[in-house]
Amino acid sequence: MKKYFSILVVVISFIPFSIKSYSQHYNTLAAQNDSLFPKSIPALLMSSNGSVIKTKKEWEKIRRPELEQLLENEIYGFVPVGNVNMSSKVIEQDDNALGGKAIRKQIKITFTNAENKMVSVALLLYLPKGLKKFPTFLGYNFNGNETIYPDPMIQSSPVLNGNNKQSGRDSLNWPVATIINAGCGVATMYYWEVAPDKEEFTTGIYPLFYKPNQVKPLPNEWGGLAAWAWGLSKAMDYLQSDKQVDAKRVIVLGHSRLGKAAIWAGAKDQRFAGVISSGSGAMGVSISKNKKGETLSAVIKRFPRWTAGNFKKYLNQDANLPFDQHMVVAMVAPRPIYISSASEDQWADPSHEYLSAYLTTEVYALYGYPKWSYQAPKIQEPIQGRVSQHIRDGKHDILPYDWNLFLTFAQRELK
Ligand code: GCU
């Protein structure tokens, strides 16, 4: 009895000590660093019961699942339970695309529910020829598959968001030839085909999961970001089934709202070998607390469709959040992650994108990767490692400068 009592005393005295020392740790960081550093930011390496996470095993068994549940419950929403099957069919293939350097494939992915309701999404793929091991970048496009590259053989996506669909109009954002020349592949889908980006939930994938008379997801179910992330995982299901793809080296990537979807997809689905989130800002990789530019409340007001209905309770609660976006970033550990920003993109807030990258490195340190010391991030001075980050000079965009760094990152980290 006496023995158990002394064990209890030891345990009880240890708990408050660890909580205190952990919050002290954060406060010391906050004091040492500039005013950007938000004080009460939730700790990554402390579980909800107050115990400090010290090993990768504790991270994987305790903290990571806890974060996934928290973020799914509070922000993104759960994928509804439903009887939805997926099938895929290669509808076009050219083994001599891009002047003989690439294989182009166009795949029709079809989702069917128990009532035979169907939704199809087109996946466009360019793969480098003659390689067995190579990274493939998978990400949504904003305006239709035909807009990513001026290849007349790309089948037109349906006109859903009313944007100009001129062939190759977004080719600056998708340097397909450079990607292929670097020995990498690229896979893309038009995001509206999976879930519409408007305050309406009766098209795209949503209705396939509805009970009779239901017209929108339940309050704890997915908003757009989780629906798009789900679509990326479904594309991954296809990539795993395609023998010409190196599915162990797929990097999920996205820009802006699609960067918000990409980071959640990569956080949840550990089949993605790496993640690149470009200019994702609010509800992407930017820390919400004390954020400049677009705030969490601004996202709730302008884009309620992106997150779960439950998330609306955080309107005007930006200062009191029990979570923050570094948690999403940390869920990617120990896989390679690249966070890219642009100097004039104060709406996304590059310094708070950096902050997430910085905070996350303490999780990567559990796996033996270096923990960063905090330094005000510098423009055009990329930090290259397992956690990589840069701030490009210029505006909110994803440009050849960014891609060159992404290609080096992919080749280095997914050797
Ligand atoms: C708006 C929105 C951002 C978003 C961006 C985009 O600017 O406020 O949160 O990232 O659109 O997706 O282009």
Side-chain angles (χ1 to χ4, degrees), residues 77-279:
F78 292 88
V79 175
V81 182
N83 189 2
V84 175
N85 288 320
M86 173 180 142
S87 62
S88 55
K89 192 167 182 230
V90 177
I91 48 173
E92 192 267 345
Q93 175 157 356
D94 180 357
D95 292 339
N96 282 305
L98 261 70
K101 287 187 179 154
I103 300 168
R104 181 189 58 240
K105 281 182 152 185
Q106 301 187 67
I107 299 105
K108 185 175 174 181
I109 299 181
T110 303
F111 303 103
T112 311
N113 74 2
E115 281 83 50
N116 246 341
K117 212 173 162 40
M118 286 181 196
V119 169
S120 291
V121 178
L123 176 69
L124 167 66
L125 213 57
Y126 285 98
L127 304 172
K129 264 171 68 176
L131 296 178
K132 276 213 153 58
K133 293 188 173 177
F134 57 91
T136 296
F137 300 91
L138 165 69
Y140 285 115
N141 60 72
F142 276 96
N143 295 308
N145 291 353
E146 71 273 40
T147 64
I148 76 147
Y149 193 65
D151 177 344
M153 292 308 289
I154 303 178
Q155 301 192 352
S156 302
S157 295
V159 181
L160 298 174
N161 64 355
N163 283 357
N164 155 12
K165 295 247 175 272
Q166 196 193 336
S167 163
R169 63 159 267 189
D170 295 331
S171 55
L172 197 60
N173 310 123
W174 294 93
V176 174
T178 312
I179 297 171
I180 292 293
N181 287 336
C184 299
V186 59
T188 187
M189 302 179 288
Y190 172 41
Y191 81 124
W192 277 70
E193 286 205 84
V194 172
D197 195 4
K198 56 181 179 183
E199 297 303 325
E200 179 267 310
F201 298 89
T202 55
T203 57
I205 193 67
Y206 299 116
L208 265 58
F209 290 86
Y210 290 163
K211 307 275 171 309
N213 300 324
Q214 192 180 348
V215 290
K216 60 176 192 186
L218 300 175
N220 70 343
E221 287 177 351
W222 57 8
L225 298 179
W228 295 321
W230 176 90
L232 290 165
S233 284
K234 292 292 151 187
M236 184 64 185
D237 289 352
Y238 168 77
L239 296 176
Q240 283 189 313
S241 74
D242 186 329
K243 299 262 177 311
Q244 292 182 299
V245 176
D246 180 358
K248 289 206 169 68
R249 289 182 173 73
V250 176
I251 298 183
V252 64
L253 126 155
H255 173 65
S256 208
R257 70 194 66 189
L258 301 178
K260 306 183 210 287
I263 184 80
W264 181 236
K268 264 197 71 86
D269 189 337
Q270 299 189 61
R271 293 175 301 168
F272 291 118
V275 180
I276 297 174
S277 192
S278 153

Side-chain angles (χ1 to χ4, degrees), residues 142 256-258 260 279-280 282 294 299 302-303 306 347 396:
F142 276 96
S256 208
R257 70 194 66 189
L258 301 178
K260 306 183 210 287
S280 61
E294 186 179 35
V299 173
R302 272 184 73 207
F303 307 102
W306 286 354
W347 188 238
H396 181 68

Side-chain angles (χ1 to χ4, degrees), residues 67-78 264 268:
L67 290 181
E68 178 168 0
Q69 218 197 349
L70 173 75
L71 299 170
E72 206 153 45
N73 211 20
E74 301 303 309
I75 305 179
Y76 299 99
F78 292 88
W264 181 236
K268 264 197 71 86

Side-chain angles (χ1 to χ4, degrees), residues 41-90:
I41 199 159
L44 288 173
L45 293 183
M46 185 186 287
S47 77
S48 56
N49 71 7
S51 61
V52 175
I53 302 296
K54 293 187 225 68
T55 64
K56 55 186 182 191
K57 194 164 166 217
E58 288 170 345
W59 170 258
E60 284 163 18
K61 293 264 161 343
I62 304 170
R63 190 56 172 154
R64 191 182 183 283
E66 205 172 79
L67 290 181
E68 178 168 0
Q69 218 197 349
L70 173 75
L71 299 170
E72 206 153 45
N73 211 20
E74 301 303 309
I75 305 179
Y76 299 99
F78 292 88
V79 175
V81 182
N83 189 2
V84 175
N85 288 320
M86 173 180 142
S87 62
S88 55
K89 192 167 182 230
V90 177

